[in-house]
Amino acid sequence: MSGHANASPLIAIPGADPKLYNRDLAPVAPGGRTWGIFDIFAMWMSDVHSVGGYTFAASLFFLGLTGWEVLLAMAIGITAVYFLMNLIGGPSLKYGTPFPVVARMSFGVMGANLAASLRGIVGIVWYGVQTFFASKAVQVLVLTFYPAAEGLTHSSFLGLSALGWFSFLFMWLFQLLIFLNGMETIRKFIDFCGPAVYLVMFALAIWILAQTGLSSLSLQLATHVEGSAIGQMANAAMLIVAYFAALLLNFGDFARFAENERAMKFGNFLGLPVNFIVFAIITVIVTAGTVKVFGEAIMDPVSIVERIGNPWVVGLGAVTFIVATMGINIVANFVSPAYDISNLYPEKIDFRLGGLITSILSVLVCPWIFVSSPQAITVFVGVFGAALGPMFGIMIADYYVVKRQQVILEDLYTMSKDGSLHFQGGWNTRALIALAIAGSISIGLSLLGAYGVIIHVGDWGWLIGAALGALLYTALMRNLKAPSLSRSGATA
């Protein structure tokens, strides 16, 4: 599949091996870096402003902490995410390369396929899940304006009704048409998504306050718990870090298009600490207001607009949160597996074909069955989620400690045994050993805790895995010299 209608200017790599190189994996030239501060900011709005993001933000206020304790924990957690995102975005910003190519720096030119595959699997599964959640909003929309369609909800095929299949396939196709147009179209789309959701959220908050008065303004949705609040706050902060665990690997897929370091960092600052906390405050005001308006705390914004009763309000709310879900699907669950799959076979698979394969695989996952099984979710998150932390630790330690931010650009695209990233047949066995040990411990702690065998470490598993991965990798690589600065010869 070919075609790059809005392709970015690239840096040519003379003698690049076709097994490692195509237009989508090539470094973006300075002229192709069009993402400014607002684009990065909007990207994070699209990631946070979703039904899942709404529910997650509201849930933090049910931890039994005071409102101010939750806000402090949020500030700490999201600030940590901000600095970690800047770290993982650094190599992509400098060299213009996506996540799977950056992974070659630490795992080797072939070993990066393992890291990319693990991240790709996570993205594919959650892509299907988010598409399914968005399809539920489509179903609400259809039933609101065409009640006779209720008859289509009684049949069932592979776990979905006829209307369910129509809604899911509609969302699947609608997203695919946008995604296949490339990263520039994606940039324009997410520039719209985040701000659009803000408008509806502010309107919803105003409507809630108009019904309840200022008395509904509350930042505490649960009774304060006995005991140390410090531990609960620390857990809340780590919960936020874990929420962004997937993008803490592949943020480079977007950072490579940033105009400069200032655009990336300031866009991250507005999109993460500032945006996340503001959105959380709006969320909790709305959720607190639903207690007085509807008699219970409703954490699903689609359900809130559905209960308002006005079909046009329901329609506007459903469309908005459909768009919001598409936004997070682009940012967190589509771009990464599209690049990751392309990295497996660059000669035949480009970004667009990788995206098409991602979409097809997301249907085969049968996400509606997956989300109905708490055990399946527990195992999936435990096994794959806990592996993301060690990969992050290894990549950060490699780039900033072992290589001291010095990488030979051409060696990212060569199979030559003389290449500094060839290691052993293209695989850095030291990185694989560090990943296996740190990942086993991280996954083991996560699963044993989830099933009550040991004390549940919760979302600290990500931090434990990242720290172990970084320490083990640094120790294993201590006798190797960092490569010299990039060779000359690459041209724009």
Side-chain angles (χ1 to χ4, degrees), residues 243-267:
Y243 180 78
F244 289 94
L247 272 166
L248 276 170
L249 269 184
N250 76 290
F251 172 59
D253 292 336
F254 303 93
R256 68 190 295 228
F257 296 103
E259 292 175 345
N260 49 46
E261 185 177 18
R262 179 177 178 274
M264 182 188 79
K265 290 187 175 180
F266 195 48

Side-chain angles (χ1 to χ4, degrees), residues 127 420 447 479:
Y127 177 79
S420 59
L447 291 180
N479 295 326

Side-chain angles (χ1 to χ4, degrees), residues 106-107 249 386-399 401-402 428-443 445 460-478:
S106 49
F107 289 92
L249 269 184
L388 301 184
M391 279 197 286
F392 176 87
I394 289 169
M395 291 174 66
I396 291 298
D398 175 72
Y399 183 68
V401 179
V402 176
N428 184 358
T429 55
R430 294 173 176 84
L432 298 178
I433 291 171
L435 177 62
I437 296 175
S440 297
I441 294 174
S442 180
I443 292 169
L445 290 175
W460 289 87
W462 185 92
L463 180 62
I464 293 170
L468 278 175
L471 291 172
L472 286 169
Y473 181 80
T474 303
L476 291 169
M477 297 290 288
R478 65 183 181 276

